[in-house]
C-alpha cells in the first residue's frame, strides 16, 4: 500500500540515453520523488483486510515488520517518505464510489494516493512503527476535531449582536478568551484541554504552553488553532463544555502542580470554584462515586474571564 510521485524533467529522456537509461538523470529523478505508505494500524482493521486474497499478509505483527522494511527502503530511495492511516471501511467506501475492485493492489495504491492528499500523515524519519503509529493516530484525531468543529461553526448562521457571520465573531471571541487565560498563567508548563458536548458526540482539543519567567509564551500554533476552533464552536452553538488548565513549575519544582477550570455555558466561560474543581476531578464520571485526589496536586479556583465583546459591534 505505497504510493509515489515523480517530477520528471521535460525532454531529458533522449539526451540521457532514452527510456532505458539508468544513468545519473534517472538517479536524480528518484531523489526528487516522494513516497507515501498507508498502514493498517490495528488488529481489527487487519482482520478485515485479510478477507481480500491479494492482501498477502499472515499476521499483523509480520505485516508491521514488512511495513517498516518498506519504509526504510523508500526513505533510502526517495529521501522523503510519509505514513498515512489505511482505514479498511473508508477504503471499501472509496472503491464503491470510484467503481474499483476492492481485492486489488492497484486499488489499495490508488486509495493510498488519495488519503496522502486529504488525510492525516506524518513524516517517516527512521522511527519504529511503535512510535510512529500513535503519533499518526493523534494527528488523525487532531484533524477530525478541527474538521468537526469547523463544520459546527460553518452552520452556525449569523451573529445575534452584529449580524456578521457567527463563524468569524465566535472564532475571534475564542481567540480573545484563550489569550486572556494565557495572560493569567505564571512561569511554568501549562496544559490546556477544551471539551465540548455536541449532538454528534464529544469534541476535545489540547494545547501545551510554556511561559518564561520574563513573560514570553511558547506554544504550537496548530494546536492553538484547533483549541480555538473547539471553543468557538461552543460559543456559537451554546453546547455545554469546559476548559481545564493544568500548570506545573517545570524542572524547578518551586510549587506543586495546580489545576483550575471553567465551564462553558450559554456562550461564555464561567470560572469554577476550588470546590467545583475538586469535585470534578475526584468523582468517577461513570458511577458518581468519589475517587481519591491526585497526590501533590492543588485544586484552585479559576480566575474570572470576562466575556469578550463582539468584534464587529
Amino acid at each position: 500500500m505505497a504510493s509515489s510521485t515523480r517530477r520528471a524533467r521535460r525532454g531529458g529522456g533522449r539526451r540521457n540515453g532514452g527510456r532505458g537509461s539508468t544513468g545519473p538523470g534517472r538517479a536524480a529523478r528518484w531523489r526528487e520523488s516522494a513516497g507515501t505508505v498507508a498502514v493498517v494500524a490495528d488488529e481489527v482493521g487487519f482482520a478485515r483486510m485479510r478477507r481480500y486474497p491479494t492482501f498477502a499478509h499472515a499476521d499483523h505483527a509480520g505485516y508491521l515488520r514488512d511495513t517498516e522494511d518498506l519504509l526504510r527502503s523508500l526513505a533510502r530511495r526517495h529521501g522523503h517518505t510519509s505514513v498515512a492511516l489505511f482505514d479498511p471501511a473508508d477504503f471499501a467506501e472509496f472503491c464503491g464510489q470510484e467503481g474499483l475492485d476492492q481485492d486489488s493492489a492497484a486499488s489499495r495504491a490508488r486509495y493510498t494516493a488519495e488519503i496522502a492528499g486529504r488525510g492525516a500523515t506524518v513524516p517517516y524519519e527512521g522511527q519504529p512503527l511503535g512510535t510512529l503509529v500513535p503519533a499518526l493516530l493523534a494527528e488523525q484525531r487532531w484533524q477530525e476535531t478541527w474538521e468537526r468543529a469547523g463544520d459546527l461553526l460553518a452552520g452556525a448562521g449569523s451573529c445575534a449582536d452584529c449580524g456578521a457571520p457567527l463563524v468569524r465573531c465566535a472564532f475571534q471571541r475564542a481567540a480573545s478568551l484563550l489569550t486572556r487565560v494565557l495572560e493569567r498563567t505564571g512561569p511554568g508548563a501549562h496544559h490546556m484541554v477544551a471539551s465540548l458536548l455536541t449532538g454528534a458526540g464529544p469534541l476535545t482539543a489540547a494545547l501545551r504552553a510554556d511561559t518564561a519567567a520574563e513573560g514570553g509564551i511558547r506554544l504550537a500554533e496548530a494546536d492553538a488553532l484547533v483549541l480555538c476552533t473547539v471553543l468557538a464552536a461552543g460559543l456559537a452553538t451554546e453546547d455545554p463544555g469546559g476548559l481545564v488548565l493544568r500548570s506545573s513549575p517545570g524542572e524547578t519544582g518551586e510549587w506543586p502542580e495546580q489545576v483550575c477550570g471553567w465551564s462553558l455555558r450559554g456562550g461564555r466561560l464561567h470560572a469554577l470554584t476550588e470546590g467545583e474543581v475538586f469535585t470534578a476531578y475526584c468523582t468517577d464520571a461513570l458511577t458518581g462515586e468519589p475517587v481519591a485526589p491526585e497526590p501533590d496536586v492543588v485544586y484552585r479556583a479559576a480566575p474570572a474571564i470576562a466575556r469578550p465583546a463582539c468584534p464587529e459591534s
Side-chain angles (χ1 to χ4, degrees):
M1 290 177 283
S3 170
S4 63
T5 56
R6 303 182 190 176
R7 298 200 303 264
R9 294 183 293 183
R10 297 178 181 175
R14 294 187 181 274
R15 178 176 295 181
N16 290 321
R19 292 180 131 185
S21 171
T22 59
R26 172 73 60 86
R29 280 150 68 178
W30 276 121
R31 287 193 297 271
E32 294 172 3
S33 301
T36 300
V37 173
V39 60
V40 182
D42 57 39
E43 294 273 4
V44 174
F46 181 81
R48 181 165 182 167
M49 293 302 296
R50 283 276 292 151
R51 297 182 302 178
Y52 302 125
T54 59
F55 187 77
H57 300 280
D59 61 89
H60 192 235
Y63 161 79
L64 292 177
R65 287 193 297 270
D66 290 345
T67 301
E68 284 203 51
D69 291 341
L70 175 61
L71 284 168
R72 284 192 290 268
S73 175
L74 287 174
R76 287 192 298 267
R77 176 179 291 180
H78 297 298
H80 175 79
T81 301
S82 60
V83 182
L85 279 176
F86 192 100
D87 183 335
D90 189 54
F91 168 67
E93 182 179 347
F94 172 78
C95 289
Q97 292 174 346
E98 299 295 325
L100 301 175
D101 177 13
Q102 295 182 32
D103 189 17
S104 165
S107 297
R108 293 193 289 272
R110 182 167 168 182
Y111 174 72
T112 297
E114 171 75 13
I115 60 174
R118 64 173 172 83
T121 61
V122 296
Y124 174 69
E125 298 171 334
Q127 66 271 51
L129 281 183
T131 300
L132 192 149
V133 168
L136 185 56
L137 291 170
E139 181 72 14
Q140 184 189 47
R141 288 192 296 270
W142 181 95
Q143 182 168 310
E144 288 177 349
T145 298
W146 185 32
E147 291 175 351
R148 286 180 55 202
D151 288 343
L152 288 173
L153 278 173
S158 301
C159 177
D161 294 331
C162 68
L166 190 52
V167 58
R168 184 168 68 241
C169 293
F171 190 86
Q172 291 180 359
R173 290 207 307 271
S176 178
L177 285 173
L178 177 59
T179 299
R180 294 180 186 185
V181 170
L182 289 172
E183 286 174 348
R184 285 160 175 76
T185 62
H190 309 282
H191 187 254
M192 206 174 304
V193 177
S195 58
L196 189 64
L197 297 177
T198 76
L203 285 176
T204 304
L207 171 67
R208 177 186 169 90
D210 294 299
T211 305
E214 61 274 12
I217 299 175
R218 185 175 70 251
L219 51 77
E221 292 185 4
D223 291 341
L225 173 62
V226 176
L227 189 138
C228 272
T229 306
V230 170
L231 278 180
L235 296 175
T237 64
E238 298 193 358
D239 286 334
L243 180 67
V244 173
L245 174 65
R246 194 178 190 101
S247 302
S248 65
E251 297 179 356
T252 62
E254 296 176 355
W255 40 270
E257 191 168 340
Q258 301 178 357
V259 177
C260 68
W262 299 259
S263 64
L264 181 59
R265 305 190 313 271
R268 63 178 297 172
L269 287 179
H270 299 265
L272 298 178
T273 66
E274 178 182 332
E276 288 172 326
V277 176
F278 181 89
T279 299
Y281 266 83
C282 300
T283 303
D284 189 292
L286 296 178
T287 66
E289 295 295 320
V291 296
E294 296 180 74
D296 302 320
V297 173
V298 174
Y299 305 96
R300 62 180 179 85
I305 305 293
R307 182 181 186 273
C310 177
E312 301 295 329
S313 60

